[in-house]
Amino acid sequence: MAFLELQGLSKMYGETTVVTDFRLSVAKGEFVCLLGPSGCGKTTTLQMVAGFVPPSSGRIGLDGRDITDLRSNRRGLGIVFQSYALFPHMTVAQNVAFGLEMRGVATAEKSERVGRALDLVHLKALEHRYPRELSGGQRQRVALARALVIQPPVLLLDEPMGALDAKLREEMQIELRALQRRVGITTIMVTHDQSEAMTLADRVVLMNRGRIEQIGSPFDMYEQPNGRFSSTFLGKANVFEGCSKGGSFLVNGLSLPVARGVPAGAADYIVRPEKVEFAPHDAIVRGRVSARVFLGNHWLFQIDTPLGAMQLTHPNSGLPRAKEGDEVGLTWALESVHVVARGAES
Ligand SMILES: Nc1ncnc2c1ncn2[C@@H]1O[C@H](COP(=O)(O)OP(=O)(O)O)[C@@H](O)[C@H]1O
Ligand SMILES: [Mg+2]
């Protein structure tokens, strides 16, 4: 049995189901990200694990125990929510010590554990400061230390970096990842930011409208999206609606190559922009460059083709490969194509 088992969790508010049959097994030490658009049920799912929202159905098991009906404070989980403000009238050390005081931990042990937690987040030097004297990133690290100091079996994070600017956010992500691996704490984090999920997670749980769309490592999910939603939420994708028939794929009267064994029927043909290449000869499709955008490490081209608008990215190797208005040929390898039957994704 997995360390944390979420067995068919559902949540209804009145007639509306906001989370449907959420099933997930989390291994000890694993870092799982719940990823999905705003309103898809990520926070509700996390709140059910935390014990703040009772599930309408389903069970939660932790380390072999059923904790579904346990009150949140008896679950002893470490929680960092964006809105979980620090106590403004307490110093950094006092904020971190708070959870231990609630648990009646003796003074000597308490100060040792607070010291260790602050060391973990590199804030020992600031232990006497008040929250108002800290930057956003430092406050977030205090919140982390406060969650970690109770040595919880599971750490639950809900958009903990939502308030930070992009650069700091990226630094904090790398720091959090290192910290999580070092402590080895089982972690579930909610985010709507795909690059954050990819940076942090061992496994991503992609959600849409209250349901799980796909579960996998960032690499597997990126390389093997199971449908239109996955391919466009995690990264970018060219998606063409069409029909697989007799070893090829028909879109707008055009025939595209597919690998052997692709089943016949209505489907989406998916190919990522970085897998599309310029092809002076033997193009699969031809078109005209309608836009070219320079993004530093790569170029993004938009190309009008008979299939519809396509995107192609090309690493910046100095000179751009084409300019706006150019007629170009495009090709891609069969291995880069995903043909997913329409309606196959839930
Ligand atoms: N207490 C509540 N009462 C009614 N509807 C709610 C409540 N909490 C959340 N919802 C609804 O449930 C859906 C999922 O919300 P939430 O879990 O917060 O999504 P996310 O965190 O993915 O943005 C939303 O449509 C939201 O409006
Ligand atoms: Mg949320």
Side-chain angles (χ1 to χ4, degrees), residues 110-124:
K110 193 173 64 188
S111 62
E112 197 225 300
R113 280 169 67 174
V114 169
R116 251 188 294 145
L118 287 174
D119 268 340
L120 269 177
V121 297
H122 310 300
L123 278 182
K124 193 78 181 73

Side-chain angles (χ1 to χ4, degrees), residues 31 77-81 84-86 92 95-96 113-114 116-123 136-152 154-158 160-161 164 171-180 182-183 185-189 200:
F31 197 132
L77 308 183
I79 299 168
V80 180
F81 291 165
Y84 248 46
L86 302 175
V92 165
N95 263 284
V96 175
R113 280 169 67 174
V114 169
R116 251 188 294 145
L118 287 174
D119 268 340
L120 269 177
V121 297
H122 310 300
L123 278 182
Q138 289 166 339
R139 273 185 227 150
Q140 214 45 62
R141 303 216 301 261
V142 178
L144 254 182
R146 196 171 62 169
L148 288 169
V149 76
I150 62 167
Q151 295 168 344
V154 177
L155 183 62
L156 303 176
L157 308 170
D158 192 344
M161 298 167 220
L164 307 181
E171 284 168 20
M172 280 292 294
Q173 285 165 7
I174 289 167
E175 205 172 292
L176 174 61
R177 186 168 186 272
L179 171 71
Q180 189 272 342
R182 205 158 64 235
V183 181
I185 186 168
T186 311
T187 303
I188 304 183
M189 175 166 142
L200 286 162

Side-chain angles (χ1 to χ4, degrees), residues 29-35 144 155 157-162 169-181 185 187-205 216-218 234:
E30 197 177 13
F31 197 132
V32 171
C33 276
L34 309 187
L35 173 69
L144 254 182
L155 183 62
L157 308 170
D158 192 344
E159 312 257 5
M161 298 167 220
R169 207 176 156 121
E170 213 167 278
E171 284 168 20
M172 280 292 294
Q173 285 165 7
I174 289 167
E175 205 172 292
L176 174 61
R177 186 168 186 272
L179 171 71
Q180 189 272 342
R181 303 286 196 274
I185 186 168
T187 303
I188 304 183
M189 175 166 142
V190 159
T191 180
H192 65 275
D193 178 338
Q194 54 125 342
S195 74
E196 184 158 288
M198 291 185 87
T199 304
L200 286 162
D202 296 313
R203 269 194 309 161
V204 175
V205 176
S217 71
L234 202 74

